[in-house]
Amino acid sequence: MRMRRRWSVGLLSGSFALALLVGPTVSPSVAYVPADIVTVAEPTLLPDPAILAAKLKKVSTKGIGTVGLVVTTTDGQVLTERSSGAALTPASTMKVLTTMTALDILGADRTFATRVLDAGSGRIVLVGGGDPLLTDKTSTSSYKPASLQKLAKATVAALRAVGRTKVSLRYDASLFSGPTWSSHWKAKWKGWEAKVAALEINSGKVGGGRAASSPAKTAANAFAKRLKAAGIKVSSVASGRAGADAPELARVTSTTLDRIIHRTLQISDNVAAETLSRHAAIARGRAGSFTGAAANVQAWLTERGLWTSGLKILDGSGLAPASKLTPTVLAGAIRLALAETEFTPIVNGLPVAGESGTLKDRFDDKSEKAGRHVVHAKTGTLSGLAGLTGYLTTKDGATLVFAELANHATSYYRAYDWLDREAAVIAGCGCR
């Protein structure tokens, strides 16, 4: 995604520049610079800010109460803005910050294990390790290598190896703390929006897309069912813990963090974002809770020079309507992701207009066509509001960063039209 660095003759310095004047002072093999990279850098064709701003103002905001917008170059030059410092509800554009924080703190190769421990006295303990993509039945998806089906098979083999055919099952979801449901989320969502737990399966959902009322207990009951089907008698299922030195009977391991992030950004997975945010908080010595995770993202933004007064982070998914971010902060995060290679999974995970993820079916009319295939952005949607933040390539080949938030709209479809048409104008604008 990042442009190859070009050497400009005008920028050569040091011993090599001196050698050009007075002859080489080192061997030719050391002083040699391949001819294909000794080039004069071509200037990037950027839109004229005044013309770009005028074109963007023509995009209707009818039915949208408040908008915020900023368009910058990758090095931070602001080309145009509109209330870019206004603190607005970001919805799922929040996930850009959540996943960047997790990636920076935990590393791209981090995995999460779900284990079964032998607690003695006939008890085994199913321990949740915060795998947000753990399934009950083994999945064919490369994102979901860990399942209770695989874990049960390995556990049964370990039990039979020592002649055990009866156990009592305990389950431990203590890695995360605090409530599993945010008080900042709307109560009417409880039937279908998943709770957040260190032990849960199928993204916290049960039949018909309904949310599990107790994710850890649901997972434990599913595990017990698989043990029973394999001939292991399970006398009871209850919450509990094993001792610190309890031997491990079996484990299954998640895919790597970079893969989890890719899926999280593509489909805007709320429970995965919340789970990753807790892991990052724990790694920094904070509580693995809504409060601890939110404070950790704020601290990370502060470290990176992105936090400003007036912002508010209440969760990791963006479901909290009272969370507040600015287009300036969101654009700053995207610039950081483009600038530092460690954030490549973020850049690669952004949906592409007309191609993938939550943008696959967007940019779907004539006035939005210029954005298809060149807009890479994270979406956000809540009732009456929406957001879009990412980067795009203009028709002249310039890479620009943008962030747009639309709040207090008559519908999120109205907000979508404004977001997509603005991005399409930027993408299709020579504007000189």
Side-chain angles (χ1 to χ4, degrees), residues 14-26 31:
S15 61
F16 181 64
L18 180 61
L20 292 177
L21 297 174
V22 300
T25 58
V26 293

Side-chain angles (χ1 to χ4, degrees), residues 215-350:
K217 185 176 181 180
T218 297
N221 285 335
F223 187 65
K225 184 176 180 180
R226 291 197 173 276
L227 294 179
K228 292 174 183 177
I232 302 296
K233 183 177 180 181
V234 181
S235 60
S236 62
V237 178
S239 177
R241 299 188 190 183
D245 58 350
E248 183 178 293
L249 294 175
R251 72 164 54 199
V252 288
T253 305
S254 74
T255 190
T256 54
L257 179 64
D258 58 345
R259 292 283 292 156
I260 296 173
I261 285 175
H262 186 275
R263 181 181 180 277
T264 299
L265 295 176
Q266 282 285 304
I267 71 169
S268 205
D269 188 326
N270 292 320
V271 75
E274 297 292 353
T275 299
L276 297 182
S277 197
R278 280 159 175 70
H279 280 299
I282 291 168
R284 283 290 180 88
R286 298 179 184 272
S289 63
F290 283 105
T291 302
N296 190 57
V297 175
Q298 178 177 335
W300 181 85
L301 288 169
T302 301
E303 292 167 10
R304 289 290 187 160
L306 293 172
W307 185 261
T308 60
S309 62
L311 305 184
K312 183 184 293 185
I313 294 177
L314 298 173
D315 64 12
S317 60
L319 282 173
S323 286
K324 301 296 177 184
L325 294 176
T326 66
T328 295
V329 169
L330 290 168
I334 295 295
R335 287 197 302 273
L336 177 61
L338 289 169
E340 298 189 10
T341 55
E342 70 174 286
F343 295 115
T344 297
I346 306 297
V347 177
N348 290 344
L350 295 174

Side-chain angles (χ1 to χ4, degrees), residues 66-83:
T66 310
V67 299
L69 163 74
V70 67
V71 182
T72 79
T73 60
T74 55
D75 63 2
Q77 176 189 348
V78 177
L79 297 179
T80 188
E81 65 86 30
R82 193 182 317 170
S83 301

